[in-house]
Amino acid sequence: MVRVRFAPSPTGPLHIGGVRTALYNYLFARKNKGVFILRIEDTDQARLVDGAEEYIIESLRWCGIVPDEGINEGGKYGPYRQSERIHLYRQYADMLVAKGDVYYAFDTQEELESLRTESEKGGDTFIYNASVRGKLKNSLSLPESDWKALLEKGESFVIRYRMPFNEDIHFDDIIRGHIVVNTNTLDDKVLYKSDGMPTYHLANIVDDHLMEISHVIRGEEWLPSLPLHIMLYRSFGWDAPLFAHLPLLLKPDGKGKLSKRDGDRMGFPVFPLFWPYGETARGYREEGYYPEAFVNMLALLGWNPGTEQEILSMDELIDLFSLERVHKSGSRFDPEKASWFNHHYLQLRTDNELAMEFREILRAKGYHMDIVELEDVIALVKERVSFVREFWQETDFFFKAPDTYDSEVIKKRWTPETAGQLLELKDLLEKLDVFTTASIEQAVKSWIEDKGYNTGAIMNAFRLVIVGASRGPHMYDIISWIGKEETLKRIERGVDEIGGQVR
Ligand code: GLU
């Protein structure tokens, strides 16, 4: 039975790397008809941040990553919030005490700090392990009566893991393969603190065991903890789950881990949703990304389906996902590729759906549009946009006459004949009874032909007075949409204003 968990600590907004971890766990669970669990690891009270837990839940919900068991879903392995499981951890710490695999340490922060500084002076790093523990203040170095007295006195202590001296620990990672680490490079990590709180290592192993986790899929930053975790499983006499450590998400230039600062500097979010507390952060949702696009992009940052196919729905991702295809090396984040995905998913939406979304933006600007009319505008420019918000810059001239006229275009296109020709065109359009794209096109074309005018010259100047610049879709589509009256007004005004400027 596959049982996997996403186990975030609510210490701030969830980085997109964290969302990817959740996603891979979810895909793996669904693919293998297993169970996906959301467990909140909130035992480090000092690092808790208000709003972070809700943020995590809302981020997963937005992405369509649905837990089977979790703090809101419940389940028979609950509670799923570690702060509600506190009573459990002490007994497991005591189990290790009984086995002699952990010990009480009474060194104060200050004592440890000065040992660290001393080692640094000698060019070393201080490691609390077999080579020094005998000289420090703990239940291995002190006579039993002494340390027991300290405990009774209520002296502050931590429980540390007694890492064996000079032993090679062998273990496997699904992504990284076989790994060997010598215990002399490891320290005697704290498992339990005198405030009655377990550290991450103890709570994490105990819960993975109790929740019958089959595969631990998590970020590469946890790989250095794996030797300790393997040792803890041995000490408890439990079978360890299988491990898969996911590669880092790298900056766009590939140099180092993707951070909020990179996003701020280069103009893209590194969080799924807007983070409103303290130092705020931009979110993909608020930037106008569709969750399908975001998920698709994220899935391919560190994994590939083994084919060239890049557009993959959640169901297709589930179908194709395997841990064996997760990359070993870090994945470079590409902001342009991210908008490429959104472009694709936007094109899949109907004109009606897009019109409904764009209408909100228009409403905020004070334009109240009919959906059916808006659908026609959407259809004309859809291919040019990657985000709904971009519709405005592609279509503003449908809703309002130009405020200015592009001076470059005037310089290039406005000749002494232009004003006269445009006024002729105005008369022609005024006489048209049927004002559709086809009827206007036919009338204008035959007028240009009859007069022997230059089509390019007329149409460029025409666009200038209607749009204000040389952009936008087909002219006849624009004017049939804005209507005869508005078209005539814009010609008149343009001729007036540009004519005035040119003279
Ligand atoms: N609480 C850890 C975190 O914040 C969990 C790491 C793990 O999955 O073991 O990422």
Side-chain angles (χ1 to χ4, degrees):
M1 178 67 171
V2 163
R3 289 178 55 84
V4 293
R5 84 307 192 266
F6 177 52
S9 299
T11 53
L14 184 63
H15 187 275
I16 55 173
V19 183
R20 189 194 57 174
T21 300
L23 176 64
Y24 285 10
N25 273 284
Y26 175 74
L27 296 176
F28 185 73
R30 287 287 172 278
K31 164 85 186 188
N32 295 289
K33 312 262 174 292
V35 173
F36 170 66
I37 298 160
L38 173 64
R39 182 173 77 220
I40 298 291
E41 301 207 328
D42 58 347
T43 57
D44 190 349
Q45 299 289 320
R47 293 180 60 227
L48 296 187
V49 170
D50 277 347
E53 186 180 293
E54 292 75 11
Y55 181 96
I56 291 165
I57 290 166
E58 179 58 12
S59 299
L60 299 188
R61 197 200 56 76
W62 181 64
C63 292
I65 302 173
V66 189
D68 302 301
E69 296 173 20
I71 54 171
N72 291 334
E73 295 70 20
K76 64 178 169 84
Y77 296 80
Y80 293 90
R81 201 183 271 113
Q82 286 187 328
S83 57
E84 293 166 21
R85 303 169 63 81
I86 292 305
H87 56 284
L88 283 170
Y89 305 117
R90 181 65 201 246
Q91 77 198 57
Y92 286 96
D94 288 344
M95 251 166 86
L96 296 181
V97 171
K99 289 182 188 224
D101 285 353
V102 296
Y103 59 92
Y104 298 99
F106 303 93
D107 320 271
T108 64
Q109 287 299 342
E110 296 71 40
E111 284 163 354
L112 293 174
E113 206 42 61
S114 80
L115 286 166
R116 259 181 226 121
T117 333
E118 228 166 88
S119 299
E120 268 164 34
K121 269 189 220 148
D124 294 326
T125 13
F126 171 73
I127 309 184
Y128 201 127
N129 66 7
S131 57
V132 298
R133 69 168 85 99
K135 290 176 256 165
L136 300 171
K137 206 170 150 194
N138 55 55
S139 58
L140 298 176
S141 61
L142 302 171
E144 188 169 337
S145 53
D146 287 11
W147 63 260
K148 284 201 164 148
L150 286 176
L151 282 185
E152 254 154 55
K153 233 175 67 192
E155 183 89 2
S156 182
F157 69 92
V158 298
I159 296 179
R160 286 183 180 270
Y161 188 73
R162 182 181 189 172
M163 196 54 88
F165 178 69
N166 196 20
E167 200 182 289
D168 283 339
I169 311 176
H170 290 259
F171 50 91
D172 292 290
D173 182 272
I174 296 171
I175 296 161
R176 325 228 119 220
H178 190 70
I179 302 172
V180 186
V181 174
N182 187 279
T183 52
N184 288 1
T185 62
L186 304 171
D187 57 349
D188 292 353
K189 277 267 179 304
V190 173
L191 300 184
Y192 199 85
K193 296 174 289 174
S194 53
D195 65 358
M197 284 297 204
T199 61
Y200 154 73
H201 302 291
L202 179 68
N204 187 267
I205 266 55
V206 166
D207 285 347
D208 281 350
H209 173 70
L210 294 179
M211 295 182 180
E212 295 181 36
I213 298 303
S214 61
H215 295 72
V216 168
I217 305 167
R218 63 185 172 194
E220 187 178 279
E221 63 273 27
W222 300 104
L223 194 56
S225 301
L226 188 51
L228 168 66
H229 294 182
I230 297 287
M231 292 304 285
L232 281 171
Y233 281 104
R234 280 190 208 162
S235 289
F236 281 119
W238 298 335
D239 286 337
L242 298 176
F243 291 94
H245 286 83
L246 308 174
L248 290 177
L249 282 191
L250 303 176
K251 298 178 195 301
D253 66 5
K255 294 183 189 140
K257 199 175 153 184
L258 181 68
S259 72
K260 173 170 186 295
R261 235 170 338 120
D262 303 315
D264 290 347
R265 192 167 43 87
M266 299 173 67
F268 60 84
V270 299
F271 300 104
L273 316 178
F274 175 68
W275 172 259
Y277 313 105
E279 189 194 340
T280 59
R282 329 170 31 170
Y284 278 85
R285 182 176 67 184
E286 290 72 16
E287 306 272 307
Y289 276 83
Y290 293 119
E292 310 90 280
F294 177 68
V295 163
N296 193 159
M297 169 210 57
L298 219 48
L300 293 178
L301 279 175
W303 169 84
N304 73 78
T307 64
E308 292 297 301
Q309 194 183 348
E310 288 191 286
I311 298 299
L312 296 155
S313 67
M314 189 69 103
D315 285 343
E316 288 169 312
L317 290 170
I318 290 170
D319 196 42
L320 294 167
F321 191 77
S322 79
L323 289 172
E324 285 68 29
R325 287 206 169 278
V326 172
H327 308 156
K328 273 197 183 56
S329 52
S331 307
R332 195 188 282 233
F333 180 76
D334 179 353
E336 270 166 42
K337 192 77 191 206
S339 41
W340 178 85
F341 276 107
N342 212 62
H343 178 85
H344 181 87
Y345 281 92
L346 187 143
Q347 305 309 313
L348 297 180
R349 288 184 121 64
T350 63
D351 295 344
N352 179 265
E353 285 170 315
L354 292 170
M356 304 282 255
E357 293 174 49
F358 184 38
R359 184 162 68 168
E360 296 307 310
I361 296 177
L362 288 174
R363 205 175 268 164
K365 292 183 186 291
Y367 301 101
H368 297 272
M369 305 306 306
D370 174 78
I371 279 293
V372 178
E373 278 181 41
L374 214 46
E375 282 175 23
D376 293 337
V377 176
I378 297 285
L380 293 174
V381 299
K382 187 172 167 180
E383 277 171 28
R384 304 167 192 229
V385 312
S386 299
F387 299 93
V388 169
R389 65 182 141 78
E390 291 173 353
F391 275 115
W392 174 251
Q393 70 225 37
E394 295 294 335
T395 62
D396 54 342
F397 46 83
F398 280 93
F399 313 104
K400 61 178 186 62
D403 309 316
T404 56
Y405 301 95
D406 187 327
S407 57
E408 285 302 307
V409 182
I410 298 177
K411 224 187 320 175
K412 229 163 90 195
R413 303 291 185 189
W414 204 268
T415 67
E417 293 80 47
T418 306
Q421 290 169 342
L422 286 181
L423 292 175
E424 260 182 61
L425 174 60
K426 183 180 158 240
D427 287 341
L428 173 88
L429 296 175
E430 197 162 9
K431 290 194 196 92
L432 285 184
D433 292 326
V434 187
F435 209 74
T436 62
T437 304
S439 70
I440 306 165
E441 178 161 4
Q442 208 210 355
V444 174
K445 276 189 171 159
S446 52
W447 164 71
I448 291 177
E449 208 169 296
D450 286 351
K451 295 283 184 163
Y453 290 154
N454 177 319
T455 308
I458 300 282
M459 293 313 288
N460 282 308
F462 190 20
R463 185 176 291 278
L464 182 63
V465 293
I466 299 295
V467 172
S470 58
R471 65 189 172 97
H474 207 46
M475 271 312 289
Y476 303 114
D477 287 329
I478 303 176
I479 57 169
S480 70
W481 194 90
I482 64 176
K484 190 189 213 171
E485 199 184 324
E486 176 69 12
T487 304
L488 302 182
K489 258 205 272 182
R490 289 195 196 179
I491 297 178
E492 199 168 334
R493 199 174 135 223
V495 167
D496 236 37
E497 297 211 359
I498 303 170
Q501 288 173 32
V502 172
R503 236 182 285 128

